[in-house]
Amino acid sequence: MTPSTAAPPAIDPYHELETKYLFGFTQGADIGAEGEQAVEFETTGSFRMRGGSFNAIEQEIELEGVPTQFFSYELSAHLLGQSVNYVEGVDRNYHDINFSGLSGEFRFALLDRGPGSPIGLTFNIEPEWSRVDDVSGALTRDFGTEFKIVADTELIPNRLYAAANLSYGLGYGREFGETKWQQGSDIGLTAAMAYRVAPTVTLGGEIQYYRTFDGFGMQSFVGNALYVGPTLHVQFTPKIMLAAAFSMQVAGHAAGEGRALDLTNFQRDLANLKLEFEF
């Protein structure tokens, strides 16, 4: 018999990619493989508000785990640096860095994207305790929880992806020295697309819309904001990932104001950087 000379099938470099951090501020529905653990460093910046200069950078150190194929968790500690000068509604100028709180994220996989379902679906619960107000810098005692539905799909297998998030958040807190507790709520809708321009590099864009209210039940409208911006994801190795995003407010309105954009309740620019190491 003559030995076969057929060449082995070529290996597709565009292997399956986890979508959790593929879309910037918008999340993907993947929660990771069972048994995975990771340490993540996440930096979030927010810049520019009405009437002066506003710069805030929050640094999170996160421990992530995936105990089962249907559940993952993330536990985080927060450090917040702020530089604020002559911002409307803020009664002082200040420059400070503080330990600002703790948070968790618990993700429940409802649908796995695959041959049986073109859509991945995840439900998230994200509780947080904060001790520093993220605008005024005042010491506070704040408790909040965000509920989020995350959906994503592959428009072209392993090349073109899309995702959408719907969120509802509740907040309850007061500044130290005050006796009255304040209640607030917000809703958010984000959508994104991402395309792999190379096996390890994915570029995309996203749109984010937020509305904030006084009261738990969205009784009193406070303001809204619409953001757009680009995203980047780099998978350096199977266990090291970098994701980045930048968004600019392009439309918005604060209650009782006739000015363009809502720079009273929201910042003009948002930036996010994540670096993850699995082990």
Side-chain angles (χ1 to χ4, degrees):
M1 296 179 61
T2 303
S4 173
T5 59
I11 298 175
D12 184 1
Y14 290 90
H15 52 79
E16 186 176 355
L17 193 65
E18 187 175 302
T19 63
K20 181 180 178 181
Y21 294 136
L22 204 58
F23 304 100
F25 292 95
T26 302
Q27 289 190 7
D30 289 346
I31 68 170
E34 182 174 344
E36 281 185 356
Q37 291 185 308
V39 172
E40 181 181 312
F41 302 91
E42 179 173 2
T43 305
T44 302
S46 52
F47 311 99
R48 295 198 287 174
M49 295 188 74
R50 185 80 67 192
S53 66
F54 178 92
N55 300 282
I57 296 179
E58 180 181 52
Q59 180 64 55
E60 296 181 56
I61 301 175
E62 306 167 356
L63 176 65
E64 302 180 14
V66 189
T68 78
Q69 61 180 315
F70 305 108
F71 170 71
S72 71
Y73 66 85
E74 181 180 295
L75 305 175
S76 306
H78 301 241
L79 189 70
L80 179 63
Q82 297 166 290
S83 177
V84 178
N85 292 286
Y86 305 106
V87 170
E88 290 185 16
V90 179
D91 59 7
R92 66 190 180 104
N93 299 333
Y94 65 95
H95 311 271
D96 210 350
I97 299 175
N98 290 286
F99 165 66
S100 57
L102 301 169
S103 67
E105 181 176 338
F106 306 96
R107 296 166 60 89
F108 303 87
L110 305 179
L111 284 175
D112 284 331
R113 187 183 63 258
S117 172
I119 295 175
L121 191 65
T122 301
F123 177 66
N124 295 5
I125 302 175
E126 303 174 18
E128 182 172 352
W129 163 70
S130 300
R131 59 179 298 274
V132 178
D133 186 272
D134 59 1
V135 173
S136 72
L139 292 179
T140 64
R141 185 176 298 166
D142 287 349
F143 304 91
T145 302
E146 185 173 71
F147 305 91
K148 184 180 295 182
I149 297 174
V150 177
D152 70 10
T153 190
E154 290 179 279
L155 301 175
I156 300 175
N158 295 331
R159 295 298 294 269
L160 180 62
Y161 305 81
N165 296 177
L166 176 63
S167 63
Y168 173 60
L170 302 171
Y172 186 68
R174 65 177 174 86
E175 292 186 8
F176 280 98
E178 300 290 334
T179 57
K180 185 178 180 181
W181 290 79
Q182 304 292 326
Q183 299 179 358
S185 57
D186 57 75
I187 58 173
L189 177 62
T190 72
M193 295 185 68
Y195 182 75
R196 292 174 78 176
V197 297
T200 60
V201 179
T202 304
L203 298 176
E206 68 179 324
I207 182 169
Q208 306 173 73
Y209 177 72
Y210 302 103
R211 292 177 70 90
T212 186
F213 305 86
D214 285 331
F216 284 159
M218 301 183 290
Q219 295 95 331
S220 179
F221 171 76
V222 173
N224 64 7
L226 178 69
Y227 292 88
V228 297
T231 66
L232 167 69
H233 181 279
V234 182
Q235 193 72 45
F236 293 109
T237 75
K239 294 186 177 295
I240 301 176
M241 176 279 306
L242 175 73
F246 178 83
S247 288
M248 176 181 288
Q249 188 182 154
V250 295
H253 170 69
E257 294 185 4
R259 296 178 288 190
L261 306 181
D262 182 354
L263 300 181
T264 301
N265 304 293
F266 299 91
Q267 289 77 40
R268 179 67 185 270
D269 304 315
L270 305 175
N272 183 263
L273 183 69
K274 301 182 184 76
L275 181 61
E276 181 181 79
F277 300 90
E278 291 184 15
F279 57 91

